[in-house]
Amino acid sequence: MKIFIKFDFNAVCRKVLEDKLIKHHIKHRILGFGEVEILEKIDTANFAEFANELKEYGIDIIENQKTILVQKIKDTIIEMIHNPELVNVKSSVYLAEKLSHSYGYLSNLFSDVTYTSIENYIILQKIEHAKQLIVSSDLSLTEIAFQLNYSSVAHLSTQFKNVTGITPSAFQRIITKRREIANKK
């Protein structure tokens, strides 16, 4: 038997983080996605055990300031893509305002650390979100293109194919076929 699962990455990460902080009796306050304020001194052994348990879930604690800022850029981009209220906001302006740095600085830092541009990262995240929407919703490609602020389905299709190698409609057909096969079993 095969089942299809829809989940929110942010909610899953937040729950794991919260559970581990409580398990290790770490007094804290979650400031935002990917940012936690520790409210009291933690013993080194307990903190190391906490960090290792997070690694089991693919969650790392970042200590380098440049890497922290790059992670904040990534988190902000993901927030923009998943928040319908921010879909029409210009990403360069939003990133600069939210992170209190010029877009030029953020763009150069991001490229230096990740070896890709902010624009490419945004495209990759939009395509990943489009794939999630195709798999987990009944939205048409036109509705998905609109939700992700593409000017047209053709624009979405071009970027989708450039990233994945197939068109969104071909991806949709593959998902439909897999579901049909799974339902027959």
Side-chain angles (χ1 to χ4, degrees):
M1 175 175 76
K2 187 185 286 189
I3 61 171
F4 295 91
I5 300 170
K6 176 183 174 183
F7 54 92
D8 179 344
F9 292 103
N10 296 342
V12 172
C13 286
R14 189 180 195 107
K15 177 72 174 137
V16 167
L17 182 61
E18 186 76 33
D19 289 351
K20 296 300 177 186
L21 286 162
I22 290 168
K23 176 184 174 191
H24 287 277
H25 308 288
I26 299 172
K27 291 187 179 175
H28 65 282
R29 181 173 51 169
I30 295 181
L31 302 173
F33 183 69
E35 200 169 350
V36 177
E37 180 181 13
I38 305 298
L39 301 174
E40 65 183 18
K41 188 136 177 75
I42 309 169
D43 126 333
T44 310
N46 188 31
F47 187 75
E49 187 179 327
F50 165 70
N52 282 334
E53 286 184 23
L54 289 180
K55 280 186 184 205
E56 292 175 20
Y57 294 92
I59 302 171
D60 290 314
I61 296 173
I62 305 169
E63 296 180 30
N64 172 312
Q65 288 303 314
K66 286 184 176 182
T67 309
I68 290 169
L69 186 52
V70 167
Q71 188 60 48
K72 284 183 178 183
I73 293 168
K74 289 179 177 182
D75 293 343
T76 303
I77 289 167
I78 291 168
E79 173 193 355
M80 288 177 61
I81 291 168
H82 290 266
N83 185 340
E85 295 172 12
L86 298 175
V87 76
N88 292 318
V89 175
K90 190 167 172 74
S91 58
S92 58
V93 173
Y94 186 75
L95 286 167
E97 287 176 2
K98 175 128 184 183
L99 301 174
S100 303
H101 290 284
S102 75
Y103 182 74
Y105 173 75
L106 295 173
S107 179
N108 289 334
L109 174 67
F110 194 87
S111 296
D112 289 346
V113 172
T114 65
Y115 304 107
T116 191
S117 68
I118 286 176
E119 292 77 16
N120 283 340
Y121 187 78
I122 289 170
I123 291 167
L124 290 173
Q125 292 307 311
K126 285 173 89 171
I127 298 307
E128 281 305 309
H129 191 49
K131 287 168 34 181
Q132 287 175 353
L133 291 171
I134 290 169
V135 168
S136 65
S137 75
D138 293 329
L139 297 174
S140 69
L141 292 179
T142 303
E143 292 167 320
I144 291 171
F146 177 77
Q147 187 171 332
L148 294 174
N149 199 29
Y150 281 100
S151 56
S152 65
V153 175
H155 186 206
L156 167 63
S157 294
T158 300
Q159 285 192 344
F160 197 99
K161 186 168 184 174
N162 288 342
V163 170
T164 65
I166 61 174
T167 64
S169 44
F171 182 76
Q172 228 172 9
R173 284 192 299 273
I174 291 167
I175 297 301
T176 302
K177 192 73 163 171
R178 286 184 179 171
R179 286 184 178 154
E180 288 171 2
I181 291 169
N183 290 336
K184 287 181 183 177
K185 291 182 178 182

